[in-house]
Amino acid sequence: MVLAWLPVASAHPHRGRHWSSRSQICVIVNTALTLWSTEGSTVKTTAIEEVVNSRMTRTLTADIISTVEFNYSGDLLATGDKGGRVVIFQREQENKGRTHSRGEYNVYSTFQSHEPEFDYLKSLEIEEKINKIRWLPQQNAAHFLLSTNDKTIKLWKISERDKRAEGYNLKDEDGRLRDPFRITALRVPILKPMDLMVEASPRRIFANAHTYHINSISVNSDHETYLSADDLRINLWHLEITDRSFNIVDIKPANMEELTEVITAAEFHPHQCNVLVYSSSKGTIRLCDMRSSALCDRHAKFFEEPEDPSSRSFFSEIISSISDVKFSHSGRYMMTRDYLSVKVWDLNMEGRPVETHQVHEYLRSKLCSLYENDCIFDKFECCWNGSDSAIMTGSYNNFFRMFDRNTRRDVTLEASRENSKPRACLKPRKVCTGGKRKKDEISVDSLDFNKKILHTAWHPMESIIAVAATNNLYIFQDKIN
């Protein structure tokens, strides 16, 4: 086993109003080579960081990463932040002269996706924060992705240009129009090579369809439609039509005082274009079949785990709220994340999950403190690996958890600049809940709840993961010789 550095290019200056007014923004990107051994619990890693501005000593809110998403091939990785920016990283092709270039991700494109807005009718400020990014399957040389803030969804085209046309008849090379009476001969324009330029242009803007904040978008397997979900409604859009959408789920009661739950996440089935699921703040999941009716208020399946009355407490309803739901790549299972655990459900068994993985059960005794500092309302995401054999989710203190479904083993790792030194050994971390603390353990009272990993992504085909820790992005990769 040989591990080597993976250098990372620093982000290009962000274009737009926010970059010009905040030229001291610090973008930190970590990449690492990682092996998660199923035969043991040791993970080896090498990492290198590049800090764009070392003078930046505090985290700016606008730089906090709010979503991470690989595209279908895994060659591109998009991140969105609270400042409304999207940064896309591209994986370098394997170089025979550089044996460790596999998996190296460099900045490919950066652009301002959303700007802050103000709703004058409701006197509400609309944040520019990117809530979700979803890639569309690649159909040609260009790439397309959907990005959304609380109210507006945009379809972006990312394309390359490495040639420019010269020899126009009606204008000079500097773009000025020529006098038609001075044109004495016709010229055939020619294409000349130029430096590669990556352009991001908005192709569609889907707006004015949500009263409440958008929490989910999901592209359908037919590649023509997608859904967007807010707290009380789910809308179905066609990618070519921006002025109207179809409301397929509406749980808003006639009297808002009777409201008992809200929609927290929604996703289309990866293979069946008529099937979707959405989760609620009550810890339930509803599977809907659009073939049965246009309005999916009546679910086809209802997934809920019976609650143990003996363990019920004041916080039971809060911690049972589902923050994320994801179908497996095969479409046979789905995974849900609540505050303390990750559950895997078989679509053919509604009564209880087939697997329950405790993420940070040691925090159950700290729920009162977590309620007081609002951490109990944090929304953690979860993701599958490419073969559906492992799952990953985040925790506090920059910890993230990985569960092997085949061996029933799990590991806790830390995404930290201090522990990700070049050629260092990234050891599993353990939390001590009481009694005498061992040397390598950390006390539950010492956990930093301001450091949290809410957003993670797994490469669709390889053992490469992306972990967002506040304003830092870590990329870990298996390295096998």
Side-chain angles (χ1 to χ4, degrees), residues 26 88 97 123 160 402 434 476:
C26 173
I88 301 176
S123 296
E160 296 181 354
M402 303 175 73
F476 300 94

Side-chain angles (χ1 to χ4, degrees), residues 437-476:
R437 182 172 62 90
K438 296 181 180 179
K439 180 180 179 181
D440 297 332
E441 293 181 341
I442 181 172
S443 172
V444 66
D445 297 321
S446 302
L447 296 177
D448 188 345
F449 295 105
N450 293 318
K451 296 180 179 179
K452 61 191 76 173
I453 293 178
L454 303 177
H455 313 288
T456 59
W458 206 313
H459 191 286
M461 288 171 283
E462 299 184 31
S463 295
I464 300 175
I465 60 173
V467 176
T470 57
N471 67 330
N472 299 340
L473 176 66
Y474 298 85
I475 300 175
F476 300 94

Side-chain angles (χ1 to χ4, degrees), residues 1-5 33-35 44-46 100 423-424 477-481:
M1 180 92 44
V2 178
L3 301 179
W5 279 359
L33 296 175
T34 306
L35 173 64
K44 293 185 178 180
T45 177
T46 65
H100 301 299
R423 304 192 183 279
Q477 179 202 350
D478 234 353
K479 182 63 178 179
I480 302 175
N481 288 334

Side-chain angles (χ1 to χ4, degrees), residues 318-337:
I318 300 176
I319 64 176
S320 64
S321 176
I322 295 174
S323 57
D324 195 17
V325 57
K326 294 280 177 61
F327 276 110
S328 63
H329 295 86
S330 66
R332 171 69 185 275
Y333 302 96
M334 66 178 175
M335 170 174 52
T336 60
R337 171 68 204 266

Side-chain angles (χ1 to χ4, degrees), residues 100-111:
H100 301 299
S101 64
R102 182 176 70 90
E104 179 181 326
Y105 282 81
N106 293 318
V107 173
Y108 179 64
S109 175
T110 67
F111 59 92

Side-chain angles (χ1 to χ4, degrees), residues 44 69 86 215 251 255 286 288 320 328 335 342 408 415 432 458 467 477:
K44 293 185 178 180
E69 186 77 9
V86 173
N215 55 48
I251 66 170
N255 183 0
R286 293 171 173 85
C288 301
S320 64
S328 63
M335 170 174 52
V342 173
R408 301 293 179 178
C432 175
W458 206 313
V467 176
Q477 179 202 350

Side-chain angles (χ1 to χ4, degrees), residues 259-270:
L259 182 66
T260 59
E261 61 180 338
V262 296
I263 298 171
T264 56
E267 186 175 62
F268 267 122
H269 192 279

Side-chain angles (χ1 to χ4, degrees), residues 346-365:
D346 189 324
L347 295 188
N348 297 321
M349 191 170 71
E350 305 171 46
R352 58 183 177 84
V354 293
E355 299 173 23
T356 299
H357 304 280
Q358 300 299 333
V359 179
H360 38 220
E361 182 64 20
Y362 46 79
L363 294 182
R364 188 175 292 275
S365 61

